Amino acid sequence: MEGICGRKGDRMIKRWYRVQKLKAIFILALAVVFTNAVVSYSNTVKLIHNQQWVTDSYKVITQLESIQFALKDTETAQRNYLITADVDDLQTYLAAYQKTNSNIQILSKLTADNYQKQQWISFLEPKITNRLNILQQEIYLRQNQGFEAVQQRILSDKDKQIGKEIQQLIHDSLELEHNLLQQGMQQSQASSQKAIVTFFIAAIVDLVLVALLYDLLWRYIRQLQQTELALRQSENRLRAMIDAEPECIKLIARDGTLLEINAEGLAMMEVESADVLIGKPADAVIVPEYRAAFADLHKSICQGNKGTLEFEIVGFKGTRRYIETHAVPLRNESDGTFIHLALMRDITQQKQAEQKIREQAALLDVSTDAILVRNIHNQILFWNQGAERLYGWKAEEVVGKNVLQLLYKEISPQLEDAYLKVINTGEWRGELHQLTREGKVIIVESRWTLIRHDNGQAKSILSVNTEITQQKQLEAQLLRSQRLESIGTLAGGIAHDLNNILSPILMSVQLLQKKLPDSQSQQILQTLENNVKRGANLLKQVLSFARGIEDKQTIVQIQPLMAEIEQIIHQTFPNSIICQIDIPKNLWYVRGDTTQLHQVLINLVINARDAMPNGGILRIAAENVVIGEHSAQINIDAKVGSYIAIVVTDTGMGMSSEVQQRIFEPFFTTKEVGKGTGLGLSTTLGIIKNHGGFVNVYSQAGRGTQFTVYLPASTSKDTHSLPPELELVIGDG
């Protein structure tokens, strides 16, 4: 046992020494390679530096010589132009002038990093510029004053002195640059020899290293073989684990081709072998309308982002499936880029269930009833289109809100009883008063059904509401009609008794007219007699209405009716209401029932009085009008012909547009309960239409109301053919 332990210890020590030796050789090799690299880099840098120095110096010499020659060419061309005035010489001069400036700029750039040369250029450049300016000035004198004017200037010593200074500066600089060029070439040659010697030494060392590294490489290959075997075993275990995954796993390259896929993925794609898919585009099985979205997802994943997408695929056997993919980026350690790792699952059944839910929701939206679902805390969970139409709120505006705060002014005992009953029994049915978005109160027939969890606990309440507001209003109108029918029957029974009461009053009035001859008494008694007769006519009208007998129409004059209405206004209306009457004397006649027309005017002026509780102006006017084709087309009830227009205007509280649309509805009134029946204007409209007329209304809230009654005028033939006793009746009013 001790021997075995000793041998095992010796192997471990040898392995440790072997590892340490390999490490030492590897470190030595790295050190030698690094040293060779540093030395080679240093020699190369020096060689490059010397070569660059030589190149820069050569470029400077070239530019200096170019400046020297260009300057000479400039002076020569300028002198030729001064002597000959030839345009070609001038062009040659300008080209040489520009070349001189260009060479100076190039020389300045070449020596930008040399301070001494920059100082020399800064000394040379002004002289050259000055010289070029002198040449330019001489050309100017030649062009403007002739050759004689510039001749003395050309021969001046100053002009020659500047040229000599420039040439001397350039000559000195050229000698200096030639010396520097010679030194650079010598240093470059020395660096080249040193680099060659270093190269041979490094080559020998590298050969030794190659032998050592070969041994290391051989050992490394053996280790790689062992590692590859271990990796293959690990990969097989990982492949078995991936194939056991119940969802599809894909690995997609950056170019969109498939790299790996597991067994579930093969089943999903309806293929037997991965070879059919590997290397092919991963989106080949995706339905075309989803490929753009998948390409965008793949691009995002390869940029290092995560993403999720739902799309549809068609397997190799034609089966269509909805797929949900959860994609993550997988880093490629070799270059730091990302590839696409996708975990996909089949959601076909889920999609079919969602489609079924959408179809059911569509059926709910088709329903004209308002269908809503709320939880047991009264928060709205579902709101169909019928509810949107009935209440005015969109679904996104109400989901999550409290239904009690939304649809009810207050929590009534009926609402509390309904909630308790649906919780206890599972359903409730009844009528509720609810609010719309505009604040309008509506009546609905509501059916509540309790929805429970699988464990029996209350989950939510389904409500189906049908609006019955109009139905309730019709029922109320029917009840009113039945009451009016009863009143009509009763009125028919008591009309005879009222006639018996009015008869002695009429006889007494006629007797008093004979005994009281003064005008004031006669006027009062006449008014009393007229109203008693009108009361009798009203009773006759009630009897006719109850029996279904139509009234007989006669030719009626409007002025006397207006006079009676004015008298009633002055006697009964408050003094705060000022009455203005404007009736022309040439007003046409109308054919109709005097009592009914009197009722129309009374209803209009009483409504005007009630609209001015604090006083105002009541104006009654009438005029003859003729309605033509255009006016008849504007008003559907109008016909072409002659009419009498009676206008009743007040300065009262006015009406809103909503009220104006309903004022002629039976039983509609804005007055308090007990102060109005809602039958005045509906009766008025019925009388006007029975007379073949129509009415227009104009009103503004806070600014008053104007009713205009149009009654067909009677033809002159009718009025002239009246019997004497009827003419007397019309004249007497």
Side-chain angles (χ1 to χ4, degrees):
M1 181 66 68
E2 292 180 358
I4 295 174
C5 292
R7 288 194 298 271
K8 185 180 294 183
D10 292 339
R11 285 197 299 270
M12 292 179 62
I13 293 174
K14 289 180 180 179
R15 187 179 301 129
W16 183 83
Y17 277 119
R18 189 182 300 112
V19 171
Q20 296 301 320
K21 183 173 69 173
L22 291 173
K23 287 182 178 179
I25 295 174
F26 185 73
I27 293 172
L28 177 62
L30 288 179
V32 172
V33 170
F34 179 75
T35 302
N36 289 338
V38 170
V39 172
S40 299
Y41 175 76
S42 177
N43 292 333
T44 303
V45 169
K46 288 181 180 180
L47 187 61
I48 292 173
H49 177 71
N50 291 333
Q51 188 65 34
Q52 186 64 39
W53 184 15
V54 171
T55 303
D56 291 344
S57 181
Y58 179 76
K59 289 181 179 179
V60 170
I61 291 172
T62 302
Q63 289 302 320
L64 286 172
E65 291 176 348
S66 297
I67 292 172
Q68 188 177 27
F69 293 139
L71 190 58
K72 288 181 179 180
D73 293 341
T74 303
E75 291 178 349
T76 302
Q78 189 257 7
R79 290 293 185 268
N80 292 336
Y81 176 73
L82 293 179
I83 295 171
T84 63
D86 190 355
V87 177
D88 293 337
D89 292 333
L90 179 60
Q91 294 296 329
T92 304
Y93 160 75
L94 292 175
Y97 181 91
Q98 293 176 357
K99 185 177 180 182
T100 302
N101 288 329
S102 176
N103 289 334
I104 292 173
Q105 296 298 324
I106 295 172
L107 181 61
S108 179
K109 291 180 181 179
L110 289 174
T111 59
D113 56 349
N114 192 315
Y115 177 72
Q116 293 179 349
K117 291 181 180 180
Q118 281 292 310
Q119 283 187 328
W120 176 82
I121 291 174
S122 64
F123 181 70
L124 175 64
E125 188 174 2
K127 291 183 176 295
I128 294 176
T129 302
N130 187 22
R131 178 58 178 160
L132 293 175
N133 289 336
I134 291 173
L135 296 177
Q136 187 65 31
Q137 291 172 4
E138 291 174 353
I139 289 175
Y140 179 79
L141 287 175
R142 176 67 176 86
Q143 290 175 343
N144 292 275
Q145 298 181 15
F147 179 74
E148 291 79 7
V150 78
Q151 185 175 6
Q152 293 298 327
R153 186 164 184 171
I154 295 174
L155 299 176
S156 64
D157 294 335
K158 181 179 180 181
D159 186 42
K160 297 178 181 179
Q161 184 63 29
I162 294 174
K164 290 180 179 180
E165 290 178 358
I166 293 173
Q167 293 297 330
Q168 186 62 39
L169 285 172
I170 295 174
H171 181 268
D172 294 341
S173 179
L174 283 172
E175 287 186 354
L176 179 61
E177 285 299 328
H178 280 295
N179 293 334
L180 292 174
L181 179 61
Q182 187 65 29
Q183 293 176 5
M185 293 176 66
Q186 292 175 356
Q187 291 179 2
S188 178
Q189 185 176 4
S191 298
S192 299
Q193 294 175 353
K194 184 177 180 181
I196 292 171
V197 173
T198 304
F199 173 77
F200 281 110
I201 295 174
I204 295 172
V205 174
D206 289 341
L207 288 175
V208 176
L209 286 176
V210 167
L212 294 174
L213 290 176
Y214 175 79
D215 182 67
L216 290 175
L217 183 60
W218 180 75
R219 297 174 185 274
Y220 180 69
I221 289 173
R222 289 187 60 188
Q223 293 178 357
L224 281 180
Q225 291 174 346
Q226 295 174 357
T227 303
E228 183 180 0
L229 179 61
L231 286 175
R232 190 179 299 110
Q233 294 174 350
S234 176
E235 182 181 357
N236 291 334
R237 290 193 295 268
L238 182 60
R239 168 60 64 179
M241 294 172 62
I242 292 176
D243 287 339
E245 175 65 33
E247 295 180 350
C248 171
I249 299 177
K250 283 184 177 183
L251 194 61
I252 304 171
R254 293 178 61 85
D255 60 358
T257 57
L258 186 65
L259 298 177
E260 292 289 344
I261 186 170
N262 68 339
E264 180 63 25
L266 296 177
M268 189 179 293
M269 303 301 163
E270 299 179 332
V271 295
E272 298 295 334
S273 173
D275 297 335
V276 179
L277 302 174
I278 300 299
K280 302 296 191 303
D283 61 352
V285 295
I286 298 177
V287 175
E289 54 263 32
Y290 293 99
R291 289 179 183 173
F294 184 82
D296 293 338
L297 173 67
H298 178 69
K299 182 178 179 181
S300 177
I301 298 303
C302 292
Q303 292 174 351
N305 304 312
K306 296 180 180 180
T308 302
L309 181 66
E310 293 182 2
F311 53 89
E312 192 175 3
I313 66 171
V314 179
F316 279 75
K317 295 182 180 179
T319 305
R320 298 176 72 95
R321 290 183 175 88
Y322 282 99
I323 302 297
E324 181 185 48
T325 178
H326 297 274
V328 296
L330 184 63
R331 182 181 293 276
N332 189 343
E333 298 298 337
S334 61
D335 56 5
T337 59
F338 296 99
I339 57 177
H340 183 165
L341 176 63
L343 179 64
M344 300 181 179
R345 62 188 183 94
D346 190 346
I347 58 170
T348 305
Q349 294 182 352
Q350 175 184 334
K351 281 291 185 179
Q352 292 173 350
E354 291 176 356
Q355 179 64 24
K356 186 175 181 181
I357 292 172
R358 282 195 294 269
E359 291 173 356
Q360 293 173 348
L363 292 176
L364 293 178
D365 286 335
V366 169
S367 173
T368 56
D369 293 334
I371 302 175
L372 55 142
V373 179
R374 52 176 166 156
N375 59 21
I376 58 174
H377 303 294
N378 293 312
Q379 291 177 323
I380 298 173
L381 305 176
F382 175 77
W383 184 273
N384 77 331
Q385 292 183 5
E388 293 180 356
R389 291 189 292 269
L390 178 60
Y391 300 110
W393 286 287
K394 296 293 184 182
E396 57 269 17
E397 296 176 321
V398 299
V399 171
K401 292 186 177 180
N402 191 302
V403 69
L404 301 180
Q405 298 175 357
L406 191 71
L407 299 181
Y408 303 95
K409 285 185 178 180
E410 57 184 11
I411 308 301
S412 63
Q414 179 195 16
L415 202 59
E416 294 178 349
D417 293 341
Y419 184 77
L420 293 175
K421 186 174 180 180
V422 76
I423 292 296
N424 294 328
T425 65
E427 61 180 4
W428 175 84
R429 181 187 295 265
E431 294 180 3
L432 295 173
H433 288 75
Q434 296 179 335
L435 295 174
T436 65
R437 184 171 189 168
E438 292 75 19
K440 177 183 175 182
V441 178
I442 60 173
I443 304 173
V444 299
E445 181 183 357
S446 187
R447 286 88 70 195
W448 294 8
T449 303
L450 183 67
I451 301 174
R452 300 181 182 276
H453 288 286
D454 294 337
N455 58 6
Q457 294 294 325
K459 178 182 179 182
S460 56
I461 299 174
L462 170 66
S463 301
V464 181
N465 299 332
T466 305
E467 184 183 10
I468 57 173
T469 307
Q470 188 174 7
Q471 176 184 340
K472 287 294 181 180
Q473 291 174 348
L474 292 175
E475 291 176 359
Q477 290 179 9
L478 179 60
L479 291 175
R480 292 193 187 99
S481 299
Q482 291 173 349
R483 288 197 298 270
L484 287 176
E485 183 179 355
S486 301
I487 292 172
T489 304
L490 180 63
I494 66 175
H496 295 287
D497 295 334
L498 290 175
N499 269 325
N500 294 332
I501 294 173
L502 291 176
S503 295
I505 295 175
L506 182 60
M507 294 172 62
S508 300
V509 169
Q510 292 174 348
L511 181 62
L512 287 173
Q513 284 177 337
K514 295 178 180 179
K515 291 185 177 183
L516 299 173
D518 59 286
S519 61
Q520 184 177 2
S521 299
Q522 288 291 324
Q523 184 178 2
I524 294 173
L525 291 172
Q526 183 64 41
T527 301
L528 183 59
E529 180 183 7
N530 292 338
N531 281 282
V532 170
K533 289 181 179 179
R534 201 170 304 284
N537 288 331
L538 285 173
L539 288 174
K540 181 181 178 183
Q541 184 179 351
V542 170
L543 284 172
S544 299
F545 176 76
R547 296 171 183 172
I549 301 174
E550 295 184 357
D551 293 321
K552 184 178 180 181
Q553 294 185 348
T554 60
I555 302 300
V556 180
Q557 194 174 8
I558 299 300
Q559 290 92 336
L561 280 177
M562 292 294 188
E564 286 189 33
I565 297 298
E566 182 179 11
Q567 187 175 2
I568 293 172
I569 291 172
H570 286 306
Q571 291 176 356
T572 61
F573 281 24
N575 296 330
S576 59
I577 296 177
I578 301 172
C579 180
Q580 298 176 353
I581 304 292
D582 182 13
I583 306 297
K585 293 182 179 180
N586 61 342
L587 202 63
W588 294 330
Y589 300 107
V590 297
R591 176 177 292 276
D593 184 272
T594 306
T595 301
Q596 290 184 353
L597 295 178
H598 185 275
Q599 184 179 355
V600 168
L601 295 174
I602 284 293
N603 285 340
L604 293 179
V605 298
I606 288 176
N607 282 343
R609 179 200 66 184
D610 295 341
M612 298 184 290
N614 299 321
I617 299 174
L618 172 60
R619 185 174 183 273
I620 304 174
E623 62 176 341
N624 300 324
V625 296
V626 177
I627 295 181
E629 291 286 349
H630 178 69
S631 300
Q633 292 176 358
I634 295 176
N635 196 311
I636 191 172
D637 295 322
K639 297 180 180 179
V640 176
S642 301
Y643 288 82
I644 294 176
I646 303 172
V647 183
V648 179
T649 307
D650 65 71
T651 58
M653 60 186 68
M655 296 179 289
S656 65
S657 59
E658 292 80 6
V659 173
Q660 290 183 54
Q661 293 175 1
R662 301 187 61 190
I663 56 175
F664 293 112
E665 294 180 8
F667 309 110
F668 174 78
T669 180
T670 58
K671 299 177 183 178
E672 299 178 4
V673 179
K675 293 186 178 181
T677 63
L679 292 173
L681 287 178
S682 62
T683 302
T684 298
L685 181 62
I687 293 173
I688 293 171
K689 286 188 174 182
N690 287 337
H691 283 72
F694 61 96
V695 60
N696 287 338
V697 183
Y698 175 76
S699 180
Q700 284 185 316
R703 302 186 65 176
T705 303
Q706 175 179 293
F707 282 87
T708 304
V709 178
Y710 293 88
L711 297 173
S714 179
T715 61
S716 58
K717 180 179 178 181
D718 293 335
T719 57
H720 291 309
S721 62
L722 293 175
E725 61 274 14
L726 189 55
E727 290 181 357
L728 181 61
V729 170
I730 295 175
D732 292 340

